[in-house]
Structure formats: C-alpha cells, structure tokens
Amino acid sequence: MSIKDLLTPFTAWKRITKDPVTIRDPFNDRPGAERYRGFHKNDVNKCIGCGTCEDICENEAIDMVPFKDPISGDSGLRPRLDYGRCCWCALCVDVCTTNSLTLSNEYTWVTVDPEDFRYTPGVDKKAWDDNEKGWKKPEGNYEFYNINRVEMHHLHPEDRDKSFVEMVKGYSREQAIAEADRCVECGICTATCPAHMGIPEYIKAVRHEDMEEGLRILYETNPLPEICGRICTHKCETVCSIGHKGDPLSIRWLKRYIADNVSSDKYKEILNTIDLSNNHKKVAIIGSGPAGLSAAHYLALMGYQCTIFEQYEKAGGMMRYGIPEYRLPYDSIDKDIDYILSLGVDIKYNARIGIDITLEQLNKDYDAVFAGTGLHLGRSTGIPGSDNEHVYYATDLLRQITAGEEIEVTDQIVVIGGGNVAMDITRSLARMQNQKFGKVNIITTALEREKNLPADLEEVVESREEGAVINPGWAPQSIEIENGRPVGLHVIKCNSLFDDSGRFNPQCDITKKEFFRGSMIVQSIGQGMDLSYVSEDFKKDLEFGPRGRVQTNAHFQTSVKWFFMGGDIIEGPDVIHGIANGHKAAIGIDNYIQGIDFAPAK
Amino acid sequence: MVEILKELEERFQVSDLVQQKDHLAFVSVDKNKAIPMITWLKDQAGYTSLTLITAVDWLEDGKFQLTYMINNPKNKTQIAARVMIDRENATMESAHHLWESVRIYQRELKEMFGIDFPGSPGVDESFILEGWVDIPPYRRDFDTKKYSEETYFPRPGRQSNDPAEYMKSKMYPNE
C-alpha cells in the first residue's frame, strides 16, 4: 500500500463546505418522470379481456386469468403480469383495444416473496392504482391497426331508388385484405354470434388469401354464407374489440367476400362432400328457410336422406319472400341453396303440410321431422279501418313482389312499423312509386322513438336517402276511410312504450295529434306463426309456453319426441338464429334416431 | 449547415441529404469514403466529438446500415453519416484511431450485429454476452421468443386462457 492510497480518501474532505450534489434524504419520494413506464394499471370495468396485450407481449409476461363470468362482449378474463419477464416496453398499453391498460410512473416495489411480482392490475389493489402519471397511449393518430373500416361502396341513392339492383357492391381483393388486416383475432365475437362462427379464423383466411380454407371454416357452422354475408344482423360486429375506439370489423362483408370469390362448381371438392355416406335413415323437413336448410345440410353430411316440404314455388322462405332483392339478390340465394340440394337433399315444392300430406303421415314415412316454418302471418294493428281491402300486411306484399305478382301501388302510402321488415316494404314501395310516378311519397311511422327504432340504423338512413319519410314516435289510432278506400292514418304522440316494470304499456299524449295522408296503408308491426298445418289432436301433445310458443329443449326437440322445431318460430327472428337452430336440431335428430334420450322440452 | 453539406457533397459525393432540424443533418456516404469523410470532419471542420455509432438491420435488402453521429461543439451542429454495407460477411473499416470510445462501439456492434471491424482492439472479446453461441441477437432473424423459451424454464403456477375458448366453456359448453 502506497502513501497515495492512504491519503486519497481524504480528498473528499475538500468538499466539506459545499452543498451536497446527492439527494439529501433517501426516504423522500423520488418520483419517476411524467411518462415513465412503471408498474401496470388496468381499468377492469373498461377492459373486455380480449387478450391482445398477451398476444403482443414478446416476453410472454401476460396471462389471461378469470375475473368474472363472461358475458357477450367481455370474456371475463383480465391480464395478469409476471414482472419476472416484463421489460416495460409498453406494447401492451399501445395495442390495448379499449385503452384500459396503462402504466403508472411508480418504479419502486420491495417485497420478500417473489410470487408477489405476479399480479392482476386493477384486481389486486396496489398503491399506484390512482397514480395519474406514467405511460398512456399517446393521443392522436398512433394506432397499431387502422381504426377506420375500409368503406364499402354503395350505389348512390339516385342510382338505386328506381330499381331492385343490389346496392352493396362487395369488397375488392385489396379492400378485403386491408379490412381483414384490422382484426386482432381476439375471438370475443364468436360467443355473440348465435352460430358461434369461427370469425377470427375466416378473417385470417382472407388475410392469407386462402379462400378455400375460408369457405371450409364458414361451412363448419353456417351453410348459407352468401346470404348471411349480405343480410345477417351481424351482432358480432356490435361486440368487436376494435369497435371500442374505432369502427368494428366489417365481419359480414368479409364473409360475403369469401363466398363471392369461390365458384360454386368448386364447392363440393373444397368442402370434401363429393362422396357422402348414406345411413338409410330419412328425415322430413318442413319449410326451406334458414332453419330447415341448415338442418338439411348438416343432416345430409351425417348421411341422412332429407326431404324438404316447401309451400311455395321456390326455396328460401323469408330470405327469398321477405327480404327484397336489392339487399339479397336471388342468384346469391340460389348459390347457397343449390349447393345444399346438391348434397342429395330432396325438395318438394308447392307442398303444404296438413293439406297435401299430414304430420302424422310424415311420422310414419320418416324417422324424424323438423319444422322451421317461421313467422309468416302479418299482425294487424286492429285499429278502426284496418280491415279495409287497401290496408295490407308487409309480409304479404313482399312475398307478392318476389313472386312477380302485380300489387297495388298508390302515389301516397303510409307504413306502420319500425322494424327491418317495415323498412324493407318502405324501400320496396318507394322504388315502385319511383318507377310508376317518378317520385316517392311514403311515410313510415312507428310507436318507438327515433333512438329506439328496432330497425338497423343503416336501414333507416338508407330509407331516408331513397326519399321515404321516417316519422317515429306515433301511436296509430284509426284509418280514415272515404268512399271505400283509405285517405290517411290518425295518430297520437307516443311518449313511452314500457312502464317502470318493463312491461309493454304505451303512454300517449292524446292532445298531440297528427294525420298522415295515404291512399294505401301497410301494417308491419310484427309477424305471427301459422300452425294451421298442425292438427288439433296433435296440438294436444305439444307443450306450449306462456306466450304461445311451442316449447323445445336444447336440441330443439318438442314434447313429441320425433318432432323437432327451430328458427323464427322458436327463437329469433333472424336468419343466423335459424341457421344455428337448424344445426343444433340436426345434431339432436341424429342423437334421437340413434336412441340417445335427452332432457324433455321445457 | 448548408455550406458544410455542400462541401461534403463536393469532397465525398454524399447523397440523400436530409436536414432534420436546424442543427442536425443526415447524409449517406459510400462505404470506402466514410472514414476519410469522418476524419476530415473531425480534423478540418470542427466535428471533434463522437456522439454515437449505431446500426440498423435491413434484413430484406441484405444490408446493414451504420450511422456515425458526430458533433461540432463550437457551432452545436450534428452530422449523422449513414453507410450501407453488405449484410453477408459484414465488415467495415475501423475508426478506433479517431476516438478512444470507438473501439467500445465497434465491440458492441460486433457482438450484437456481427459486424466486424478488423484491427479494432479487443473487437472479438465478449461485450456483455459472455458465452453467447447463437446468432447475434440484434439481427432481425434472431427469434427472441424462441430463444427465451429454449433457454429459460417456465415459471411454475402460470396459466393462461384463450378468450374465445374460455367464453365457450362458460357460456355454451355443450355446443
């Protein structure tokens, strides 16, 4: 040891009179910088458990753990951090679909148990939960995916309001790939879809331009992709995680893109249905709507010989006879249906059960019967004048338009109803008025107020674009008749529809009156089922619920074991429920025929 | 800065001039003119201080980009010189004779990107990755996740759930 080594420590003494440059008190806070990336925080009520944070984490520091029971749009899972792995890069924050995940600027945490460093932010309470500083996703245009959807080209109102040509043009290849690229593949949507379609999987197929794989995924759960790709009520899009801070994915249009881009002559090869087995069992299906077609499709795949009994000239039920051509062109319907029929499904047109053949006879001739007979009977408002011959039901007119029958179209029409069917008839009649008179003069009124209209928003917007007046919030009182035909509809203001206990109990203000002029009135306030094909004797064996609906179990089996029912008549009304019902019923019928018993209808 | 950039164009045929800020400019320069240019800037133009040397892996183009950022303390301007070199057998002329700290940057670049600087003292010694046998980890074809899966044991007790599968198991287990 030299003398220098001995003396060097004392050089520090020369600073004894200077202010210290170090922190005076180590026990005082030394906060991180304003945007420091410290420990995680999560607003668990905003978080939907989509798991995108887990996916992006290169360090696998995040697990999705149960927090509560899942509901539509929320998996019930929440991210748990492992600080043995986290590198505080904040990619999880930047990609978060709901902006619920943030970082505090807290960076000191001392504990003796290493397991403490695994915790679920927002669930396991931490001292920094209310820390406002730290890293948040920067404001402005900083997103890992495009929050705006690729716009779909629609025909302009003036190009569509005189004809029934399809108004939505469909995505191009570039558009579809760009739109599919926005999907984070969380799969939150799948639970909300009544058919539980593999949505992230088929969107991935679009991204990879593998239409054949896409088609296979579609047909696993939905044998009507051309149809659903156009007119599905797309509940999936309402829960899309991307929709929390932008436009939800155009799930419906991407489905249509796949179906549109596979030629029908390749279907059997792609879907591996060229040689189907035959188990020599027979199933009768009443009605060729979505439920019946779906049941027939899945039963045919299982080897059953299916025969569909259809009361009209063509197959499709409400999809053909209810939905106007400008929304769902007939060749799209035919493409889906022709494929199902090509699987060996037999169809008898113009065949009415109860008239041409009885249910009891079907039971003798077949191993099981499925009825998807839908809701076809228009409901009447029952107001004075509604029995006039120029007062119509929307369902009747829509069917007649499809069938090519001549219907009455006057130059001044009033439609009663605020649902999608009301919009369908409004827009169909508007087109016909335009063709006949060169102008549109149609008022559509509903009990519901504007924001509660049951119709899809786009339907309301497009109806208005096409010149129809949508004037909601009125209760119809009577139809004024002069010289044997209507001249208009008397209405009063409707303030609310439901009472405090949620029961249907419209409250109206009789002092606020209005008179909508119209020489033709159309009622579209809902549809009822037509069970006239079921004999009175048979009805005694069927179990009915409190609201007159036939009771079925989870397999859509009624209290008569060989008789299954599904679709609008049981659940819905919409196409995708019908498809899901038909699929489940097919599995139920297979179990039943194989002798597997299940819980009774309730 | 306009004059010095003009001079660099004339003397060293730099291209892609980008004046990022009033006091900061980027230039691209050929591999064989880079060290002469930096030497000239240091000895003749007052850029006496080295700020950093760094690299970018342009995997798809088969190139590495080296960036030398140097500073003129007098007029407080910065010049960043970009040099593209081949990714395969990546080699660059050493600049360790210009600044003492260059050998450290070059040692790091050798370890993290696999760019060699022949003659640079200690360039083959480990920088921070003692005993590293894999491809250099800053190369973009290095799979960080795969490496950590193979190298580190999983923490016991960790379990995750896929949102869609979890929702199915709770909401519609029988379908």
Side-chain angles (χ1 to χ4, degrees), chain A residues 291-308:
Chain A
L293 287 168
S294 172
H297 170 262
Y298 290 107
L299 284 166
L301 295 189
M302 291 186 262
Y304 290 92
Q305 176 57 52
C306 299
T307 305
I308 301 177

Side-chain angles (χ1 to χ4, degrees), chain A residues 187-489:
Chain A
I188 291 276
C189 45
T190 297
T192 301
C193 171
H196 307 308
M197 295 193 72
I199 296 164
E201 291 79 18
Y202 71 68
I203 291 181
K204 189 179 194 167
V206 173
R207 203 161 52 235
H208 293 173
E209 296 190 72
D210 188 348
M211 293 304 114
E212 298 190 0
E213 176 65 8
L215 195 76
R216 278 191 288 271
I217 296 165
L218 295 181
Y219 270 84
E220 279 172 18
T221 46
N222 185 341
L224 301 170
E226 284 279 7
I227 295 169
C228 271
R230 287 174 165 75
I231 51 87
C232 185
T233 44
H234 56 91
K235 297 284 178 248
C236 50
E237 294 181 17
T238 63
V239 298
C240 176
S241 59
I242 301 304
H244 282 262
K245 55 185 186 195
D247 300 330
L249 262 283
S250 288
I251 300 172
R252 178 173 57 172
W253 300 143
L254 288 173
K255 177 162 51 208
R256 167 177 168 175
Y257 174 77
I258 296 174
D260 276 358
N261 283 283
V262 182
S263 155
S264 52
D265 55 3
K266 294 219 178 93
Y267 270 40
K268 286 187 126 178
E269 191 189 323
I270 294 167
L271 299 170
N272 193 21
T273 53
I274 294 169
D275 292 309
L276 289 176
S277 62
N278 183 350
N279 63 12
H280 305 289
K281 301 277 184 190
K282 289 158 60 183
V283 179
I285 290 165
I286 309 172
S288 63
L293 287 168
S294 172
H297 170 262
Y298 290 107
L299 284 166
L301 295 189
M302 291 186 262
Y304 290 92
Q305 176 57 52
C306 299
T307 305
I308 301 177
F309 294 86
E310 168 54 49
Q311 66 166 326
Y312 295 129
E313 251 175 54
K314 285 183 172 162
M318 271 298 181
M319 301 183 295
R320 186 185 300 274
Y321 291 102
I323 296 168
E325 195 185 358
Y326 60 84
R327 282 215 286 147
L328 179 57
Y330 301 132
D331 50 2
S332 300
I333 304 179
D334 292 339
K335 186 176 175 188
D336 282 347
I337 294 179
D338 288 348
Y339 168 69
I340 294 174
L341 297 182
S342 78
L343 303 177
V345 173
D346 192 21
I347 184 160
K348 295 188 190 310
Y349 296 105
N350 300 314
R352 291 207 61 137
I353 309 301
I355 295 167
D356 301 311
I357 185 166
T358 62
L359 258 186
E360 289 77 0
Q361 188 61 42
L362 287 183
N363 179 33
K364 286 191 188 115
D365 298 345
Y366 295 87
D367 296 283
V369 178
F370 175 80
T373 49
L375 305 172
H376 284 264
L377 287 186
R379 279 213 189 103
S380 173
T381 54
I383 55 175
S386 59
D387 52 358
N388 185 278
E389 62 175 315
H390 301 285
V391 177
Y392 298 91
Y393 294 115
T395 44
D396 290 344
L397 293 180
L398 287 167
R399 188 187 66 243
Q400 286 171 301
I401 293 170
T402 296
E405 293 169 22
E406 187 82 20
I407 64 162
E408 181 179 12
V409 179
T410 66
D411 59 354
Q412 207 171 33
I413 303 174
V414 177
V415 176
I416 308 169
N420 281 332
V421 176
M423 298 304 139
D424 284 342
I425 192 62
T426 298
R427 299 174 67 185
S428 294
L429 289 173
R431 281 165 169 73
M432 295 170 94
Q433 275 185 330
N434 231 333
Q435 289 167 351
K436 195 169 166 185
F437 306 107
K439 64 178 166 77
V440 176
N441 187 344
I442 187 161
I443 294 177
T444 300
T445 183
L447 280 175
E448 295 88 354
R449 282 155 169 265
E450 178 89 27
K451 64 177 181 353
N452 296 329
L453 277 176
D456 293 341
L457 178 66
E458 64 207 36
E459 286 291 321
V460 179
V461 170
E462 287 163 8
S463 300
R464 286 182 172 142
E465 285 174 358
E466 289 160 10
V469 175
I470 313 290
N471 190 347
W474 299 96
Q477 294 302 294
S478 64
I479 295 165
E480 177 117 1
I481 309 285
E482 263 178 39
N483 303 325
R485 69 172 306 139
V487 289
L489 176 73

